[in-house]
């Protein structure tokens, strides 16, 4: 039996690459141990078969953005814990491969209230962090609200313009009926509790709230509790 050593050290012995190259190969998901991809350089190996993929490239792992369909009732911390290979949406399985580094140092952007469900963004990418951070107020967000009660006369028009919240007049937004008990809200920079307050102001009770779009990016058919990668050509 061989004494266990770090996978990066074993790869150096096998391929005569540098230590840094070995770490990059491993972090990039190019190294398998007994047929299983291992992307942790410090992983200990003994007599297992260590194989470097023939197309391996010693390059840093590029930052990513993950899109999660957050279930209602979960905090951001709980939602973040969902992110991993086990909850990767099956329809997203393509060229991108989940790596350990994809789930580290993620920033939650435009966070949803715990009671709300829908599109939640976690990112490592500078451009996305800037777009959904510094420029968040310019992005329209779309929500579907399940409501109960009877809408007051002229209520739909008042929802679109004329209501106050926390002592300030709310900016104009777009509100329409999606179905008998579901309203669509399209608005910019919504505040916590704002949509529930708007509904109460016109005689409705908010039962559930789901975000389905941020800017140009729609959640589409992403299953609840699952996530996918933001595509290279997708933009908010």
């Amino acid at each position: 039996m061989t004494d266990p050593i770090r996978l990066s050290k074993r790869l150096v012995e096998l391929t005569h690459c540098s230590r840094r190259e070995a770490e990059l190969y491993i972090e990039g998901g190019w190294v398998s141990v007994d047929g299983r991809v291992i992307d942790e350089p410090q992983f200990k190996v003994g007599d297992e078969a260590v194989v470097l993929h023939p197309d391996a490239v010693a390059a840093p792992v590029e930052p990513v953005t993950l899109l999660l369909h957050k279930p209602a009732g979960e905090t951001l911390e709980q939602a973040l814990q969902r992110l991993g290979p086990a909850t990767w949406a099956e329809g997203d399985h393509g060229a991108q491969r989940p790596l350990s580094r994809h789930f580290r140092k993620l920033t939650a952007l435009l966070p949803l209230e715990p009671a709300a469900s829908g599109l939640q963004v976690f990112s490592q990418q500078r451009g996305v962090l800037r777009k959904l951070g510094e420029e968040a107020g310019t992005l329209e967000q779309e929500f579907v609200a399940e409501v109960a009660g009877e809408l007051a006369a002229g209520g739909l028009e008042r929802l679109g313009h004329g209501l106050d919240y926390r002592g300030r007049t709310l900016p104009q937004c777009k509100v329409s009926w999606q179905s008998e008990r579901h309203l669509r809200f399209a608005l910019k920079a919504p505040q916590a509790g704002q949509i529930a307050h708007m509904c109460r102001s016109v005689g409705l009770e908010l039962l559930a709230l789901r975000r389905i779009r941020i800017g140009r990016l729609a959640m589409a058919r992403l299953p609840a509790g699952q996530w996918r990668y933001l595509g290279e050509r997708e933009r908010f």
Side-chain angles (χ1 to χ4, degrees):
M1 290 288 293
T2 303
D3 291 336
I5 62 173
R6 293 190 313 275
L7 178 57
S8 57
K9 185 175 181 180
R10 173 58 54 80
L11 192 62
V12 169
E13 294 175 349
L14 291 174
T15 66
H16 306 291
C17 65
S18 70
R19 178 179 174 181
R20 180 55 180 156
E21 287 175 326
E23 291 174 346
L24 291 174
Y25 284 138
I26 297 166
E27 291 170 354
W30 298 109
V31 178
S32 63
V33 178
D34 277 355
R36 181 166 66 99
V37 173
I38 301 295
D39 61 0
E40 298 288 348
Q42 69 272 22
F43 183 84
K44 294 298 183 67
V45 294
D47 295 325
E48 297 95 337
V50 175
V51 176
L52 177 65
H53 195 284
D55 297 328
V57 177
V61 176
E62 293 295 325
V64 297
T65 294
L66 309 183
L67 310 175
L68 171 71
H69 184 164
K70 186 186 90 66
E74 287 193 354
T75 64
L76 277 180
E77 291 74 17
Q78 291 172 321
L80 182 61
Q81 291 172 4
R82 277 188 172 276
L83 301 175
T87 53
W88 184 27
E90 184 176 348
D92 190 48
H93 292 195
Q96 185 71 275
R97 299 168 299 163
L99 300 171
S100 295
R101 282 183 172 259
H102 291 166
F103 308 108
R104 299 174 186 164
K105 298 181 179 179
L106 287 164
T107 298
L109 299 161
L110 302 178
L112 286 166
E113 302 170 51
S117 66
L119 181 59
Q120 178 61 62
V121 181
F122 296 91
S123 185
Q124 304 166 336
Q125 296 176 304
R126 287 186 181 181
V128 174
L129 293 173
R130 183 176 61 253
K131 184 72 174 179
L132 273 62
E134 299 171 9
E135 303 174 23
T138 67
L139 289 174
E140 185 177 78
Q141 301 180 46
E142 187 172 355
F143 294 81
V144 173
E146 181 182 355
V147 296
E150 294 299 325
L151 182 66
L156 201 61
E157 291 73 18
R158 290 180 60 205
L159 286 171
H161 184 63
L163 295 178
D164 293 338
Y165 185 54
R166 295 178 177 174
R168 295 186 177 181
T169 300
L170 292 171
Q172 188 170 351
C173 65
K174 292 175 282 188
V175 185
S176 60
W177 285 107
Q178 182 191 54
S179 66
E180 185 178 352
R181 289 300 176 189
H182 292 85
L183 283 168
R184 279 181 179 263
F185 288 79
L187 65 173
K188 296 178 180 179
Q191 304 172 59
Q194 176 182 327
I195 293 178
H197 168 79
M198 294 172 72
C199 291
R200 286 194 300 270
S201 298
V202 294
L204 299 174
E205 177 189 0
L206 179 64
L207 302 179
L209 186 65
R210 179 165 52 100
R211 181 163 61 193
I212 61 173
R213 178 173 61 85
I214 298 175
R216 292 175 287 178
L217 189 73
M219 184 172 65
R221 297 182 179 180
L222 185 62
Q226 297 187 18
W227 63 273
R228 70 174 180 86
Y229 288 102
L230 178 71
E232 290 185 4
R233 298 184 179 181
E234 290 185 305
R235 298 291 184 270
F236 290 96

